[in-house]
Amino acid sequence: MTEAPLPVDPPFRISMLVYDRRYRSMTFQVIVFILVMALCWWLISNTIQNLAALGKDFNFGFLFQRAGYDISQRPIPYTSDDTHLRATFVGLLNTLIVSVLGCVAATILGVAIGVARLSKSWLFARLMTVYVEIFRNIPLLLWILIIYAIFTEVMPPPSAYRGDDPAWSMILFDNVALTNRYTAIPSLGMTNDPGSLDLGARITVNWATIAFLVAIIGGWFLRDMILKRAQAIQDRTGHRPTTWWINLSVMTVPSLLLIWYFGLHLMSPELKGFNFGGGLNVHNSLVVLWLALTLYTGAFIAEIVRGGILAISHGQSEAAFALGLPPNRTMNLVILPQALRVIIPPLISQYLNLMKNSSLAIAASYMDLRATLGGTTLNQTGRELESMVLMMLIYLALSLVISAGMNMFNRRVRLKER
């Protein structure tokens, strides 16, 4: 019995790059890559030639020139004698602050409204529907202008809180004062201040902040190790040990000890002279932008949450009710965990939209990245191309970081098949 000869591949021919399936896809990809690179090269060379014709070059040396303008919202020390680079960094920090605060508040509001729209109370559900339809169908810029007008025209001056019988009263247990210039809120004080770590460039970080970050991150890793150990025991023996009190301890006890050690306490604002002191005076431009972004994005998140809940089969709720779970426990333990796999992908887009919509901050006089690098710096230096390119790259980097972080979270909560 003789063995059949092995098939011999035909010799390579140029026509195989088009007609042979083994090479065709690679051929098309190489052609498209060459065309894209050629287009990019043409655009870049054409831009350089046009700049040269205008007597301009392409460089970022303007970032190290004196800025010469003030910024009212400064998370780090800044003066008009600093460089445009530092002004850009201040604007970037302002963008990050309002974006993070907006994402957190919009998520809380959106989840609450989304669940409330499914309430059995007809009136309550319809009120939430009215909120969603109003806020998501009116442009964000109009909401920023409306809220800004309310804060500047309706809110009183700080002097309205003076006297034994003031015209206006502080809210939230006499801890917050709304004025037409700023919002006075409580600040954190420490009895035992450990000092600050100098990072250079006039940037300091308090050692207490570092200690709290270490405690929170360390507690998170310990919690993860405890959960993995409990899962391993359950897989081996079928019995899962009780770990909730251990997880609660490692997440809260270190922080509580640090609060006691540093003597952390709230300092409520008090009217001293013409302004409030003792607390923290937040510029109304930040409050207006944060409130507008929260209300606007929260309406979209509410619809995402409602759609995610409706995507879960009614049999899940009926099975939970048959086991004796009350409606609130059913929602928290059965429905929402399964709905996350439907909610998170569109939620990523809303976080990205909120971060990019913060570029409308100039309407509320909030000095973010758009107002510093893409506004005053661009107008003073005349480097419009460099400013736009740098701003686009920064927004692109922020978007990619948000997408990567949320995709990692999405992989953690998705359904895992055995």
Side-chain angles (χ1 to χ4, degrees):
M1 183 177 180
T2 60
E3 296 181 356
L6 296 176
V8 179
D9 292 335
F12 178 78
R13 298 186 305 273
I14 298 297
S15 60
M16 295 174 65
L17 294 176
V18 177
Y19 297 106
D20 196 320
R21 288 182 298 177
R22 294 175 298 175
Y23 305 103
R24 185 188 306 161
S25 61
M26 183 62 66
T27 301
F28 289 157
Q29 293 182 54
V30 171
I31 293 175
V32 171
F33 178 77
I34 293 174
L35 292 176
V36 171
M37 290 297 101
L39 177 62
C40 293
W41 174 255
W42 178 81
L43 290 174
I44 293 173
S45 61
N46 190 45
T47 302
I48 294 175
Q49 291 175 8
N50 291 334
L51 288 175
L54 296 174
K56 292 184 176 182
D57 58 350
F58 186 80
N59 67 75
F60 294 93
F62 71 95
L63 292 174
F64 304 98
Q65 299 174 3
R66 180 179 178 272
Y69 63 92
D70 293 324
I71 299 177
S72 56
Q73 307 88 14
R74 299 183 296 270
I76 61 174
Y78 170 82
T79 65
S80 59
D81 292 326
D82 286 317
T83 63
H84 287 290
L85 179 62
R86 191 175 183 90
T88 299
F89 187 63
V90 173
L92 174 60
L93 290 179
N94 286 335
T95 295
L96 292 175
I97 289 172
V98 73
S99 298
V100 172
L101 293 177
C103 287
V104 173
T107 301
I108 297 174
L109 179 64
V111 171
I113 299 297
V115 174
R117 284 203 65 186
L118 300 174
S119 173
K120 295 181 179 180
S121 172
W122 183 89
L123 178 61
F124 189 53
R126 293 304 176 273
L127 288 175
M128 296 301 102
T129 302
V130 170
Y131 160 79
V132 170
E133 295 301 329
I134 288 178
F135 274 93
R136 74 172 184 169
N137 289 300
I138 296 179
L140 174 60
L141 180 59
L142 293 181
W143 285 118
I144 294 176
L145 296 176
I146 291 171
I147 298 174
Y148 188 76
I150 292 174
F151 269 79
T152 55
E153 301 297 334
V154 177
M155 296 303 169
S159 59
Y161 293 90
R162 182 181 291 114
D164 296 331
D165 188 17
W168 283 70
S169 300
M170 300 174 64
I171 60 176
L172 297 180
F173 306 103
D174 290 337
N175 285 317
V176 177
L178 302 175
T179 73
N180 57 3
R181 288 188 291 164
Y182 54 79
T183 300
I185 62 174
S187 63
L188 290 177
M190 285 186 294
T191 305
N192 302 319
D193 192 343
S196 300
L197 173 65
D198 189 2
L199 300 178
R202 305 201 314 273
I203 299 176
T204 59
V205 180
N206 195 282
W207 283 107
T209 303
I210 299 175
F212 276 103
L213 288 176
V214 172
I216 293 173
I217 295 174
W220 182 268
F221 278 105
L222 285 175
R223 171 183 172 275
D224 192 50
M225 293 173 58
I226 292 170
L227 290 177
K228 288 181 179 179
R229 178 177 177 275
Q231 186 63 43
I233 294 176
Q234 182 180 3
D235 294 339
R236 187 174 63 253
T237 64
H239 173 71
R240 187 179 183 87
T242 303
T243 60
W244 66 266
W245 63 272
I246 303 177
N247 295 331
L248 183 63
S249 299
V250 299
M251 292 295 294
T252 59
V253 171
S255 297
L256 293 176
L257 290 176
L258 290 176
I259 292 174
W260 169 79
Y261 177 77
F262 293 122
L264 219 62
H265 59 278
L266 285 178
M267 300 173 59
S268 298
E270 297 179 359
L271 188 61
K272 299 178 180 179
F274 296 101
N275 288 296
F276 280 90
L280 181 64
N281 295 337
V282 182
H283 202 279
N284 273 347
S285 57
L286 171 59
V287 178
V288 167
L289 182 62
W290 168 74
L291 192 58
L293 289 173
T294 298
L295 295 175
Y296 182 78
T297 310
F300 289 90
I301 294 178
E303 286 298 276
I304 293 173
V305 172
R306 185 175 72 94
I309 293 174
L310 292 177
I312 306 303
S313 171
H314 288 291
Q316 299 290 321
S317 302
E318 295 171 355
F321 294 151
L323 293 174
L325 289 177
N328 60 337
R329 299 281 289 177
T330 299
M331 179 62 67
N332 295 332
L333 299 178
V334 179
I335 304 302
L336 282 181
Q338 297 184 70
L340 282 177
R341 62 190 177 92
V342 181
I343 293 173
I344 290 179
L347 186 63
I348 299 175
S349 298
Q350 292 305 317
Y351 286 164
L352 294 176
N353 290 336
L354 189 148
M355 186 271 295
K356 290 179 287 188
N357 285 337
S358 67
S359 60
L360 296 172
I362 194 171
S365 302
Y366 184 68
M367 298 295 286
D368 69 330
L369 182 65
R370 166 66 180 84
T372 53
L373 177 61
T376 309
T377 294
L378 183 150
N379 294 327
Q380 286 188 357
T381 61
R383 295 287 182 172
E384 61 281 348
L385 181 60
E386 292 89 337
S387 298
M388 289 294 106
V389 169
L390 185 58
M391 190 166 60
M392 289 169 60
L393 292 176
I394 292 175
Y395 277 117
L396 175 62
L398 293 178
S399 299
L400 292 178
V401 170
I402 294 174
S403 298
M406 290 300 296
N407 284 325
M408 290 176 58
F409 179 69
N410 187 32
R411 287 193 293 269
R412 289 179 62 92
V413 301
R414 69 182 180 184
L415 295 178
K416 298 178 177 61
E417 299 180 357
R418 294 184 180 273

